[in-house]
Amino acid sequence: MPASVTVEQAAAVAVIRYADAPTGLISNGGAARLAEAVQAALDDPAIRALILTGRDDVFIRHADVAQIARAAEALDAGAIQPASFVGAPFDRLGRMIEGADKPVIAAINGACMGGGFEIALACHMRIAQASVAAIGLPEIRLDLFPGAGGPERLARLVGPHRARLFMLEGAVVTAEAALAQGLVDAVAPDALNAALDAAARWTGRSASAVAAVLRLTRPPAGHAEGSVLAFGELLRDQAALRPRLARFIADGEALDRLP
């Protein structure tokens, strides 16, 4: 069953929910559907702010490793090239959010790792629910690294040194620890309600002034391409990675449970 993306409007705020039960994973198709919803909200003059959230106890668990394994096989066969990852759904979604002239808030209601946290990192604000126990970038545990702009965005957020150590450790932390490390901006009993409160404050301001702040503080175009291209190169060049991914999938492993 394909991932579902639903949109609810609360005053001038679009609440965009992603769900892919029971796994909570996101594939290229899921990222593309999420990008469609985000673009529609950005194009709607009645919408002044966007909130991205998940369902139940999952924001987005992480990217679909089976799809990554298939991409590695395609790269090995020469069917695609590392440059194919630039402009692909994950990359396009991150750029769209980061470059938006309306505030985009991640209401992290549950597990948020890997590609899910990379999407949250592209948002202008991150609010984590107090009950969340898994926020992080654990890709190194699977001999990968965040390949959808995460390294660049995390480095801009917390500084290169702290970002480097976080990714090298494959860290997965609680909401409170994420707040202490500067990974999220707030922790609340209900992330969505807190995000709606923040959005209401911003939608009460001048749309032109808000857009100017977002425009003047956004990173230069293409700043996250390095990790996207390098991810494709790693999948192509590291032959030992393909059986490693296959074992992960066959064993039904979870990134946060890997050593």
Side-chain angles (χ1 to χ4, degrees):
M1 183 176 179
S4 68
V5 175
T6 59
V7 183
E8 308 153 23
Q9 187 168 341
V13 181
V15 177
I16 302 173
R17 290 183 182 272
Y18 178 86
D20 189 6
T23 65
L25 305 181
I26 187 166
S27 64
N28 279 334
R33 284 186 282 277
L34 197 50
E36 288 174 6
V38 169
Q39 188 63 68
L42 293 176
D43 291 341
D44 186 345
I47 298 298
R48 294 278 311 278
L50 290 68
I51 295 172
L52 304 187
T53 193
R55 193 169 294 281
D56 300 324
D57 62 348
V58 178
F59 177 76
I60 297 171
R61 193 173 304 280
H62 55 72
D64 184 347
V65 175
Q67 186 169 72
I68 294 172
R70 292 193 295 272
E73 295 291 346
L75 285 158
D76 182 54
I80 61 173
Q81 299 300 320
S84 303
F85 287 74
V86 178
F90 276 98
D91 181 39
R92 187 167 68 251
L93 175 61
R95 291 171 191 248
M96 182 186 300
I97 294 169
E98 193 168 57
D101 60 1
K102 299 175 183 180
V104 184
I105 303 170
I108 302 174
N109 61 297
C112 177
M113 298 179 290
F117 189 45
E118 290 189 276
I119 292 169
L121 283 169
C123 294
H124 303 116
M125 184 182 194
R126 285 159 296 284
I127 301 175
Q129 199 150 296
S131 58
V132 176
I135 296 173
L137 296 172
E139 288 92 335
I140 197 78
R141 304 187 192 191
L142 193 54
D143 299 331
L144 294 170
F145 66 90
E152 294 93 335
R153 292 184 177 112
L154 185 61
R156 284 176 60 89
L157 183 65
V158 301
H161 178 67
R162 292 173 63 193
R164 176 185 306 131
L165 293 181
F166 189 81
M167 289 182 285
L168 288 175
E169 291 293 333
V172 175
V173 299
T174 65
E176 289 293 347
L179 179 63
Q181 295 180 42
L183 306 175
V184 301
D185 302 294
V187 171
D190 186 303
L192 179 56
N193 284 343
L196 286 167
D197 287 344
R201 292 194 299 273
W202 293 345
T203 57
R205 307 296 186 188
S206 159
S208 297
V210 169
V213 169
L214 297 177
R215 183 179 68 253
L216 294 169
T217 56
R218 72 174 56 124
H223 83 109
E225 280 186 13
S227 64
V228 176
L229 183 59
F231 188 77
E233 291 171 344
L234 179 76
L235 294 183
R236 179 194 63 190
D237 297 340
Q238 299 299 313
L241 182 58
R242 290 187 285 279
R244 175 74 180 93
L245 295 175
R247 288 195 303 274
F248 176 90
I249 296 162
D251 293 343
E253 282 283 8
L255 275 180
D256 52 320
R257 291 202 301 263
L258 292 177

